Amino acid sequence: VSLLYLFKDDGGGHGHGRGHEHSHGHSHGDMSSRAAIIHVTGDVAQSVGVLLTAALIALYGSWWVSLDALVTIACSIYMLFSTVALLREVLAVLMEAPPPDVDVSEIRRVLSQQPDVSEIRCFHIWALAPGKVT
């Protein structure tokens, strides 16, 4: 099931139950696909590790039993570090934080210098999704 999700096309369009589909110009596919890839690679690594450990135990005896715990710990560490970066990105979008590569004060300065702008009272820049700024 996880592998099928990787090939699902999510172009950002979705329906609202009124018989029509449309796009709002945002895509949940990027972060969702990255999360699915992390999940699938973690599952595959865990499965391969368990199979290799079981084969080593069957062929060479119980000395290899501790390798099972090491494989589990290694896969857990991989998934933890892989998801932390994604979680930070998701939280930044949910908290409507400005994108890290946008200089908010510089944009405000340039806008305030425009001849038709007399005052800027409320100025916000936030990411709707990674790579999409409003």
Side-chain angles (χ1 to χ4, degrees):
V1 174
S2 296
L3 288 174
L4 292 176
Y5 185 80
L6 290 176
F7 300 106
K8 178 180 170 267
D9 180 23
D10 183 10
H14 55 274
H16 295 279
R18 294 184 205 108
H20 66 279
E21 299 271 332
H22 61 276
S23 174
H24 294 289
H26 62 273
S27 173
H28 304 285
D30 185 48
M31 286 190 279
S32 298
S33 295
R34 287 177 31 216
I37 289 169
I38 291 168
H39 181 90
V40 169
T41 55
D43 283 351
V44 169
Q46 182 74 34
S47 297
V48 169
V50 166
L51 289 173
L52 289 175
T53 302
L56 288 172
I57 292 169
L59 292 173
Y60 301 110
S62 62
W63 187 84
W64 292 96
V65 170
S66 60
L67 185 61
D68 184 46
L70 292 175
V71 166
T72 301
I73 290 169
C75 289
S76 299
I77 290 171
Y78 158 75
M79 291 186 73
L80 176 68
F81 283 110
S82 298
T83 55
V84 166
L86 183 62
L87 181 61
R88 283 184 183 153
E89 197 172 314
V90 169
L91 288 175
V93 171
L94 290 175
M95 298 302 293
E96 297 180 349
D101 57 339
V102 173
D103 186 356
V104 177
S105 60
E106 177 66 14
I107 293 173
R108 185 181 181 122
R109 185 188 66 74
V110 169
L111 288 175
S112 66
Q113 292 176 348
Q114 298 301 310
D116 294 335
V117 176
S118 60
E119 180 181 10
I120 297 176
R121 294 183 187 170
C122 185
F123 182 73
H124 301 279
I125 296 178
W126 63 88
L128 295 175
K132 300 210 180 233
V133 180
T134 184

